[in-house]
Amino acid sequence: MGKNMLKRIDLIFKNEHDTDEILSKIFKRSNDDLINDLIGSGLKGRGGAGFPTGLKWKLTSEAKDDEKYVICNADEGEPGTFKDREILTQVPHKVLTGMAVCGRIIGAKKGFIYLRGEYNFLKPHLNEEIDKFHAILKKLGSDFRIEIFSGSGAYICGEESSLMESMEGKRGEPRNKPPFPTEKGYLGKPTVINNVETLAHAWTIFKYGPKKFRDLGVQDSRGSKLFSVSGDTPIAGIYELELGMSLQDFVDDFGDDDCKAVQVGGAAGFCVPRKKFRETAIGYQGKLTGISLPTGGSMMLFNSSRSMYNVLKNYLEFFEEESCGQCTPCRVGCQQLLEGIEAVKRGEKHQHYLNKLLRLSETMKMTAKCGLGQSVANSFSSIVENFREEMIY
Amino acid sequence: MSKMVNLKINGIDVSVEAGTTILEAAEKLKIKIPVLCYHKDLCIAGNCRVCVVEVVGSRKLVAACATPVNEGLEILTNSLLVRNARKDIIELLLSEHNADCTKCYRNGNCELQDLAAEYKITNQDFIDLAHGTYTIDDLSPSIVKDDSRCIRCQRCVRTCTELQSVGALSVAHKGSEMKISTFFDRNIREVVCTNCGQCVIHCPTGALVEKTYIERVWDAIADPTKHVVVQTATAVRIGLGEELELDAGSRVTGKMVSALKRLGFDSVLDTDFTADLTIMEEGTELLHRLKANLVEGDTSEPLPLTTSCSPGWVKFFEHTFPDMLDHMSTCKSPQQMFGALAKTYFAKKIEVDPENMVSVSIMPCTAKKYEADRPEMRDSGQKDVDYVLTTRELAVMIKQAGIQFSDLPEEKYDSIMGQSTGAAVIFGATGGVMEAALRTAYEIVTGREVPFENLNITPVRGLEGVREASVKIENVLPDWKFLEGAELKCCVAHGLANARKVMEKVQNKEVEYHFIEIMACPGGCLGGGGQPIPTNDEIRKKRMDAIYEEDANMTLRKSHENPEVVQIYKEFLGEPLGKESHKLLHTEYFERQRY
Ligand SMILES: Cc1cc2nc3c(=O)[nH]c(=O)nc-3n(C[C@H](O)[C@H](O)[C@H](O)COP(=O)(O)O)c2cc1C
Ligand code: SF4
Ligand code: SF4
Ligand code: SF4
Ligand code: SF4
Ligand code: FES
C-alpha cells in the first residue's frame, strides 16, 4: 500500500493564475483552431457519459440559433465525491476560463454554474472570482457573463436534461432524448453542458496544447482524471491519476492489502472483484476492458470485512430514493430489486429469484428513460454475479 | 413539403416526413405499438416505457412515442427483446398497482387491464408493492382520485396543465414515493380544480373517475312516492352510442329516450328546451348590454359578455379572473335553468309536489355534478337538480337493466319541456352557443334571418382553439337603431388554456369583443369530462359532425321559434330578463382562492 506505483499528476490543481494572458492568447485564435485542439486532445466528459468534449462544442457551435448557453455542471451528487468542490475552491478561474472559451466558440453570451445546494457556502468566494473574471473579459472586449444557479438538492438534477428543467423552474425530471442539449438545451436553446472537471481540463489543453494532455492516458482514454478514493484505504482523498491504469496497480497503491473488491464509479458504476483486478483498466469504454465512470471517478475499496450484500443494499436504497420516479422501469424496478434481494436474504424467495432480478436489471438498462435507471444494472449485476453467495447466506 | 425519411419497421419499408415519431410511422403501417402515457391530445412524456421497440444494431430499446425516425432506421416492434422487456414493464406496473379489477370503476374500460390481458400476465412473480398506504379522495362532488390505481403516467397532470392551464394536479415527491398530488396534497374539492373531468377522460386507469350517483338514482326510481324527472343534455345523444357498442358519431336521441323510459324515469325531458331558453335570456342580455354600453354609456355590466353555461369555465373564471366577474352572463346553465323550472313550472303542470320530485340530469360533464351542488342552485326552494349522471353512467344503467340498446325503437321526449330546436342541439359543440345566439339575436334586431347559408354560421364552427367572427348588422328594426351598421365582434374558445389566453387579452384590452363563448372542455360539451372514453380529436370530429347533422335535420332551428319556449314566457316567465326569469334563471358568481 501507498507504494506510489501510479504517477501522481499535477495539472488541475497546479497553481497558475495567468488567466489574462491565456485568455488574450486564446481569443486571438480562430474557433476552428481551438476546437481542433480540443478534439485532438482526446478529452472526454468527466461527468459520466464520457462524450468527447470537442465534438460537443463543435456540434453546438454548428447549431443555428441566436441564443445559446454554457452550463457548468457542479451538482456533484455522487455520495462521497467532492472533487468538483475542490476544483471550484482551489482553481475556479480555470473553470470560468473553460466556460468563456466555450461561449466564444459556440456563440453564447451567458454561462451558468449549476451549483449543488450543499455547496452554497462556496458562493461568496465564487462570486468574487466571477467578478474578477468578468473584469478580465471586459478588458478583452468580451461580454460573456457567468451566473451561479443554486441546485435543488436532488441527485437526479445532476443529469443534464433534468438540470435544465430545474433551471427553468420545473420539476427536475429528465427529458426525452433526442433532442440533445447541443440542439435544444436550456430554454430550448443549443447548450453545452460540461462537468466542472472537464472545463478545468480545457484550461490545460488551451494553455499547453493538446499534446501534453494527450500524452497522458491510453487510447480512447486520454489525459488525467481526478479520483475520489474512499472506503477501506489508508489514504482516502482526491488524486489526479492517468487514465488507463490497471485496477491491480490502483489497489496495490491505495488498498489496505485486504481489498476484495473495488466499486468503480460510485453507485452507478461497476463492482470489480479481486480476481478481475488485473484484467480491468480504468478508462472509457473502448478497446480496453472498458469501464465507464459515471459521475466523477469515485473509487471505493472494500476489504474482506465488508458485506457486499449491505453494499448493494445501500446502493439500491439510494437509487430507490433518488430515482425521479417518472419512468416505470426505474421507479418500480429499483423497488423490486431492493425488496427482491431482501426477500432472498430472508429466504422468502428462492435463490433462483436472483436470476429474475438480473433479467429485470437488464430490462432497466435497456428501457429506462435516463442514465440513472439505465445504470442501476451496473452495480446490481456486477455485485450479484460476483458475490452471489453473499446475497443468499 | 418537408423532407421524407425512409425506414423499415418489422421489415416493411415506410417513408414518412422528418420529425415523425416511430409510433406514428408504425401507425401508418397499421402496426400497433402499445402505449400508456401517450395520448394524442397531449405532449409526449415518454415515461411509461411500454412502447419500447428495438432499433436494429443498438443495444438499447427506445420509446417509440418519443423517438423521431432517422433515415435507414430498422425497427422491430415484436422481437424477443422487445416482448420480454415490455412484459417486464407491464409486470412492474401491475406489481405496484392495486389491481383488484372487480372492485374498480374502470373495470372493462381500462388501458392497463387491456395490456395485462393482451400480454397474459398470469404469473406475477414480482413482489407485491401495492400494499402501501394510498389515499382515496372522494370528497369532491365530481371527481374521485384513487392513488392505488395510479400508474403515474402523468396524463392527468399534462391535461390539467396544458389543455386546461389550471394546474390543480402536479407531481410530488420522487423515487418510490412519487405521486400525483395537489396543492399541499389537499382534497381536490379544496383546490383550483374546476371539476371539468378532462383528467378523468385522459386517465388510462381507474385512478381518476367521476363520483357516481347511479345507486341513488336507482333508489329514487324504485321509490313509489317519488316522481323522477330526467333531463338529457345535447352532447349525450351523440356520445352515448359509443359506450353501447355503436360507432363514434352515432345519433341515438330516440333510442336514448326510449331507454330512459324503460329505466323507469317518470318524465323524460330535454335540457335542450332550456338551452333554447338560455338563448332567449342570454341573447336578450347581450342586446341589453350593448345598448347600455354603446348608447347609455352605462358600463356597470360591461362588454364583452361571456357565456356561463360551462360550470368548469365558471369556476375557473372565479378563481382566475375575480376582477372580471361582471363580464360573465348571469344566466344559469341550461341544466340549472331546467332544474329550477322542473320543481316549479313543471311540477305545477303535472301536479306533483316539488318535495316529491327527484330531478336527475344526464350530462356529458363532471363539472355539472359540482354545479348542482352549489348552494345558490336552490331557487325552486329545493335542490334544483338532485343527481347528475354522466353519459358513461347512463350507459352503465342501461347495461345493468339488460336493455339491448341498438334494438330499441325511437321514442319522443315527454312534454312540456321536451321540445327543442337545432339551435339548442348545437350547444354541444364549441361555437354552438355563439351560433344559436346569433341566429336569434340577429333576427330580433333586424327581423331577418342571419345572413348565412342554411343558417349555418360556419366561421364559428370547428376545432381550432380560438376562433373569431364578426357579423355586420344592417337594416335594423326601429327599436334597434343604435346598432345600425355595427359590427358584432365575437370570439369562441374551448379548453381552458385557450380561455385563459382570450381572457388575458380582454383583461389587457388587446382585443375588443362584444361576445365570447367559452367551453371548458376541448371541443365543447361533446368532448366533456363525462363523455365516453376514449375521447380524442378524431372522435370529437365525428361527434361534432353528428351534432351539426342533427341540427340540419330539425324543422325548428332557432330558439325563439321553440313553441314550448314561447308558451313558458306566456304562461309563466313573462319576458326574458323579467322578474320571474331573474329569480329562477339567473345567478351570481363569487371570487375564489387561487390554489
Ligand atoms: C443520474 C445522473 C446524475 C448525474 N450527475 C452529474 C453530476 O452531478 N455532475 C456532472 O457533471 N454530471 C452528472 N451527470 C452527467 C450529466 O448528465 C452530463 O452527462 C454531464 O454533465 C456532461 O458533462 P461532461 O460531458 O463534461 O461529462 C449525471 C448523469 C446522471 C444520469
Ligand atoms: S430512469 Fe429513473 S431517474 Fe431517469 S427518468 Fe426514469 S425514473 Fe427518472
Ligand atoms: S385501474 Fe384497470 S387494472 Fe387497475 S384495477 Fe382498475 S380496471 Fe383493473
Ligand atoms: S377536473 Fe379538470 S381542473 Fe380538475 S384536476 Fe381534472 S383536469 Fe384539472
Ligand atoms: S391519475 Fe391517471 S392519468 Fe394521472 S398519472 Fe395516475 S394513471 Fe395517469
Ligand atoms: S407510451 Fe411511450 S413511453 Fe409511454
Side-chain angles (χ1 to χ4, degrees):
Chain A
M1 89 176 119
K3 297 181 191 94
N4 262 327
M5 296 189 41
L6 296 169
K7 190 167 59 180
R8 309 295 196 254
I9 312 287
D10 178 28
L11 284 174
I12 289 205
F13 294 118
K14 189 170 170 183
N15 197 7
E16 17 180 27
H17 285 274
D18 40 352
T19 311
D20 305 49
E21 212 175 301
I22 290 180
L23 263 179
S24 68
K25 263 194 211 152
I26 292 173
F27 280 173
K28 284 190 193 110
R29 297 174 60 196
S30 78
N31 286 343
D32 285 349
D33 211 22
L34 293 166
I35 288 194
N36 284 338
D37 267 10
L38 207 54
I39 292 176
S41 73
L43 173 62
K44 289 182 179 176
R46 298 304 197 227
F51 193 83
T53 308
L55 182 58
K56 188 183 272 190
W57 292 19
K58 187 169 159 57
L59 288 173
T60 316
S61 73
E62 287 162 358
K64 292 205 175 18
D65 215 309
D66 300 341
E67 233 161 284
K68 296 183 187 178
Y69 299 100
V70 181
I71 298 175
C72 165
N73 189 343
D75 198 46
E76 194 155 60
E78 187 70 48
T81 313
F82 45 91
K83 55 138 188 131
D84 292 342
R85 187 188 76 194
E86 277 316 295
I87 295 174
L88 289 177
T89 311
Q90 295 186 36
V91 288
H93 56 286
K94 294 191 178 180
V95 178
L96 302 179
T97 305
M99 291 176 75
V101 178
C102 177
R104 210 303 286 270
I105 292 175
I106 67 167
K109 294 231 175 332
K110 184 112 211 172
F112 294 95
I113 299 176
Y114 188 95
L115 190 66
R116 178 186 164 98
E118 286 86 337
Y119 293 175
N120 269 339
F121 67 89
L122 283 178
K123 257 175 133 175
H125 161 67
L126 265 182
N127 273 325
E128 223 170 90
E129 288 290 325
I130 290 174
D131 287 345
K132 272 195 258 168
F133 188 71
H134 281 163
I136 297 175
L137 285 178
K138 201 165 169 194
K139 263 195 293 179
L140 295 171
S142 158
D143 54 1
F144 187 76
R145 286 288 170 276
I146 295 172
E147 213 178 277
I148 299 176
F149 188 98
S150 286
S152 70
Y155 172 64
I156 192 59
C157 286
E159 192 279 338
E160 55 194 25
S161 66
S162 71
L163 179 148
M164 291 170 196
E165 287 284 293
S166 109
M167 279 181 67
E168 291 173 16
K170 292 179 254 172
R171 179 181 154 84
E173 269 186 7
R175 299 173 178 168
N176 289 303
K177 289 183 219 159
F180 292 94
T182 48
E183 267 178 79
K184 285 197 164 89
Y186 177 54
L187 300 177
K189 302 293 179 187
T191 303
V192 162
I193 177 163
N194 274 129
N195 174 249
V196 172
E197 183 187 340
T198 311
L199 290 162
H201 281 303
W203 161 290
T204 307
I205 292 161
F206 290 131
K207 177 163 180 182
Y208 298 104
K211 186 166 183 306
K212 187 175 172 88
F213 187 82
R214 194 179 174 78
D215 283 349
L216 297 171
V218 296
Q219 201 180 3
D220 293 316
S221 299
R222 296 291 173 184
S224 56
K225 159 125 201 48
L226 292 182
F227 291 92
S228 307
V229 181
S230 62
D232 299 319
T233 168
I235 47 170
I238 295 175
Y239 298 87
E240 186 171 356
L241 303 169
E242 232 176 309
L243 284 176
M245 64 190 169
S246 110
L247 193 54
Q248 185 66 58
D249 290 347
F250 174 84
V251 170
D252 289 347
D253 210 330
F254 292 91
D256 63 358
D257 289 333
D258 184 28
C259 182
K260 77 168 173 184
V262 180
Q263 180 77 15
V264 181
F270 293 84
C271 181
V272 186
R274 185 185 292 140
K275 63 176 185 284
K276 292 185 185 160
F277 286 168
R278 244 168 236 300
E279 59 193 85
T280 303
I282 304 303
Y284 298 104
Q285 209 90 33
K287 294 201 180 71
L288 299 157
T289 322
I291 285 170
S292 63
L293 306 168
T295 44
S298 137
M299 302 291 277
M300 193 175 256
L301 296 89
F302 301 116
N303 67 20
S304 55
S305 71
R306 297 284 184 137
S307 151
M308 294 314 286
Y309 169 81
N310 284 339
V311 168
L312 177 58
K313 188 164 167 267
N314 280 336
Y315 289 151
L316 291 174
E317 279 166 352
F318 173 75
F319 283 127
E320 194 223 54
E321 197 180 318
E322 293 300 335
S323 151
C324 82
Q326 72 161 313
C327 81
T328 312
C330 174
R331 179 188 66 249
V332 197
C334 289
Q335 297 175 64
Q336 288 294 353
L337 294 181
L338 175 60
E339 298 214 9
I341 61 160
E342 289 172 341
V344 169
K345 191 77 175 179
R346 286 195 301 264
E348 287 162 17
K349 288 265 186 197
H350 191 267
Q351 63 180 81
H352 293 330
Y353 190 64
L354 289 175
N355 299 341
K356 177 157 175 121
L357 295 181
L358 282 168
R359 201 190 96 170
L360 170 61
S361 73
E362 276 310 301
T363 296
M364 291 166 66
K365 185 180 220 143
M366 284 189 298
T367 63
K369 183 166 170 178
C370 85
L372 189 148
Q374 289 161 9
S375 64
V376 176
N378 297 349
S379 48
F380 187 83
S381 60
S382 58
I383 293 177
V384 170
E385 274 163 8
N386 291 310
F387 300 94
R388 201 175 168 104
E389 321 76 57
E390 290 195 37
M391 299 300 121
I392 301 166
Y393 306 108
Chain B
M1 217 182 80
S2 68
K3 212 177 104 215
M4 296 305 278
V5 175
N6 302 297
L7 68 155
K8 261 191 179 37
I9 304 181
N10 299 347
I12 309 168
D13 289 305
V14 61
S15 176
V16 292
E17 274 182 32
T20 307
T21 62
I22 295 173
L23 182 70
E24 290 161 341
E27 210 166 72
K28 205 172 161 193
L29 292 176
K30 303 241 178 301
I31 293 171
K32 188 183 147 201
I33 297 172
V35 296
L36 278 175
C37 66
Y38 173 82
H39 192 292
K40 282 207 165 99
D41 285 350
L42 305 172
C43 78
I44 304 292
N47 60 31
C48 75
R49 314 308 279 181
V50 301
C51 69
V52 286
V53 294
E54 182 174 349
V55 177
V56 175
S58 129
R59 292 197 356 247
K60 261 202 252 155
L61 303 178
V62 300
C65 70
T67 311
V69 294
N70 274 327
E71 184 65 33
L73 266 192
E74 273 186 60
I75 304 290
L76 299 174
T77 70
N78 190 36
S79 63
L80 190 62
L81 210 55
V82 170
R83 251 197 331 275
N84 284 340
R86 195 174 283 158
K87 258 186 115 145
D88 271 352
I89 291 169
I90 300 170
E91 224 184 297
L92 286 178
L93 281 172
L94 292 172
S95 77
E96 66 165 1
H97 188 78
N98 173 12
D100 53 351
C101 299
T102 52
K103 291 184 193 156
C104 179
Y105 196 70
R106 285 288 293 272
N107 191 2
N109 179 8
C110 166
E111 294 177 42
L112 180 62
Q113 193 182 47
D114 290 350
L115 262 189
E118 229 169 273
Y119 282 81
K120 298 287 172 235
I121 312 282
T122 46
N123 57 331
Q124 278 233 34
D125 296 338
F126 284 135
I127 292 169
D128 179 11
L129 303 168
H131 40 57
T133 46
Y134 295 106
T135 42
I136 297 184
D137 172 10
D138 59 358
L139 296 178
S140 152
S142 299
I143 314 277
V144 179
K145 177 167 171 279
D146 177 353
D147 291 347
S148 76
R149 316 273 188 199
C150 175
I151 58 167
R152 284 99 159 153
C153 66
Q154 300 188 35
R155 278 199 204 168
C156 53
V157 177
R158 282 174 285 151
T159 302
C160 196
T161 313
E162 280 168 37
L163 294 184
Q164 301 300 64
S165 77
V166 173
L169 299 173
S170 56
V171 178
H173 310 302
K174 57 184 171 46
S176 52
E177 310 266 288
M178 183 269 210
K179 64 175 266 184
I180 307 303
S181 189
T182 54
F183 184 78
F184 277 107
D185 213 10
R186 293 186 190 208
N187 293 314
I188 286 186
R189 67 176 292 168
E190 293 169 4
V191 297
V192 286
C193 168
T194 67
N195 303 295
C196 70
Q198 282 302 311
C199 54
V200 171
I201 51 167
H202 286 91
C203 178
T205 69
L208 282 166
V209 298
E210 70 259 33
K211 175 102 152 237
T212 180
Y213 298 89
I214 293 177
E215 291 310 320
R216 304 224 199 142
V217 172
W218 280 129
D219 287 349
I221 289 175
D223 185 342
T225 65
K226 299 287 183 207
H227 185 98
V228 188
V229 177
V230 67
Q231 55 164 318
T232 62
T234 178
V236 179
R237 67 204 66 190
I238 49 88
L240 182 65
E242 285 167 47
E243 288 280 311
L244 297 162
E245 278 152 33
L246 299 176
D247 291 336
S250 303
R251 291 156 49 206
V252 297
T253 317
K255 287 187 193 301
M256 174 182 71
V257 171
S258 168
L260 288 165
K261 292 188 171 171
R262 280 161 209 235
L263 292 178
F265 288 102
D266 299 300
S267 298
V268 179
L269 304 176
D270 200 352
T271 315
D272 280 7
F273 165 75
T274 35
D276 278 331
L277 204 57
T278 302
I279 289 303
M280 298 306 292
E281 296 289 328
E282 200 163 285
T284 313
E285 183 181 3
L286 174 64
L287 293 173
H288 171 83
R289 285 200 191 202
L290 283 169
K291 188 165 185 183
N293 283 272
L294 302 180
V295 183
E296 294 151 12
D298 171 7
T299 54
S300 62
E301 291 182 324
L303 291 170
L305 176 69
T306 74
T307 57
S308 57
C309 39
S310 167
W313 153 239
V314 170
K315 186 161 185 266
F316 178 77
F317 199 66
E318 291 175 320
H319 283 293
T320 321
F321 299 99
D323 303 338
M324 297 174 76
L325 292 181
D326 48 8
H327 282 270
M328 185 162 280
S329 162
T330 58
C331 288
K332 288 182 184 169
S333 71
Q335 161 176 283
Q336 292 307 137
M337 285 196 184
F338 193 103
L341 291 174
K343 291 194 178 176
T344 52
Y345 176 65
F346 184 73
K348 206 184 273 169
K349 281 245 168 216
I350 60 165
E351 293 172 6
V352 168
D353 180 351
E355 288 208 21
N356 289 329
M357 182 176 271
V358 176
S359 153
V360 176
S361 73
I362 315 291
M363 293 286 140
C365 183
T366 49
K368 292 256 157 60
K369 291 174 188 271
Y370 153 82
E371 183 188 33
D373 258 17
R374 286 178 69 128
E376 316 86 86
M377 299 299 174
R378 309 177 74 97
D379 287 331
S380 66
Q382 331 268 330
K383 194 169 177 235
D384 293 336
V385 174
D386 293 292
Y387 305 117
V388 180
L389 303 182
T390 58
T391 309
R392 298 187 291 266
E393 288 172 276
L394 173 58
V396 170
M397 290 183 73
I398 292 172
K399 286 188 217 158
Q400 288 177 348
I403 294 171
Q404 282 299 313
F405 189 73
S406 52
D407 296 344
L408 288 177
E410 315 250 323
E411 289 188 51
K412 285 209 169 342
Y413 283 103
D414 295 327
S415 182
I416 185 169
M417 291 178 51
Q419 194 164 17
S420 66
T421 71
V425 169
I426 58 176
F427 259 63
T430 164
V433 177
M434 176 65 66
E435 180 166 349
L438 288 177
R439 285 183 192 171
T440 288
Y442 190 90
E443 206 165 316
I444 292 179
V445 172
T446 65
R448 301 184 314 278
E449 288 192 337
V450 277
F452 290 90
E453 199 181 334
N454 294 328
L455 299 175
N456 295 337
I457 309 182
T458 43
V460 300
R461 297 186 180 182
L463 281 172
E464 191 66 40
V466 177
R467 307 185 294 284
E468 293 177 331
S470 65
V471 181
K472 184 128 184 146
I473 303 177
E474 284 165 316
N475 301 326
V476 297
L477 295 172
D479 278 358
W480 305 97
K481 269 282 173 270
F482 70 96
L483 283 174
E484 182 62 46
E487 190 113 30
L488 191 65
K489 294 203 183 95
C490 307
C491 176
V492 172
H494 58 123
L496 291 172
N498 292 320
R500 180 191 287 274
K501 269 187 245 155
V502 168
M503 292 318 292
E504 277 172 357
K505 280 193 190 158
V506 171
Q507 196 169 34
N508 300 332
K509 308 217 179 330
E510 289 165 37
V511 285
E512 266 192 41
Y513 299 126
H514 298 113
F515 190 32
I516 302 176
E517 179 208 289
I518 288 176
M519 294 293 154
C521 293
C525 306
L526 60 85
Q531 288 287 70
I533 302 171
T535 291
N536 54 45
D537 267 350
E538 205 179 305
I539 293 173
R540 288 186 190 99
K541 182 84 196 18
K542 289 185 180 157
R543 294 182 191 154
M544 184 172 275
D545 291 345
I547 281 194
Y548 288 117
E549 241 178 88
E550 184 103 350
D551 167 39
N553 279 320
M554 308 274 287
T555 31
L556 299 175
R557 298 184 57 214
K558 294 175 283 188
S559 298
H560 54 278
E561 289 179 355
N562 182 337
E564 289 189 349
V565 167
V566 175
Q567 188 183 348
I568 196 173
Y569 277 116
K570 205 158 81 201
E571 291 180 3
F572 184 65
L573 291 172
E575 53 174 7
L577 298 188
K579 191 162 150 273
E580 204 61 22
S581 285
H582 205 81
K583 172 159 172 259
L584 292 175
L585 309 183
H586 291 258
T587 186
E588 56 191 329
Y589 308 106
F590 304 94
E591 180 175 345
R592 289 175 200 276
Q593 291 136 321
R594 298 196 191 203
Y595 54 81

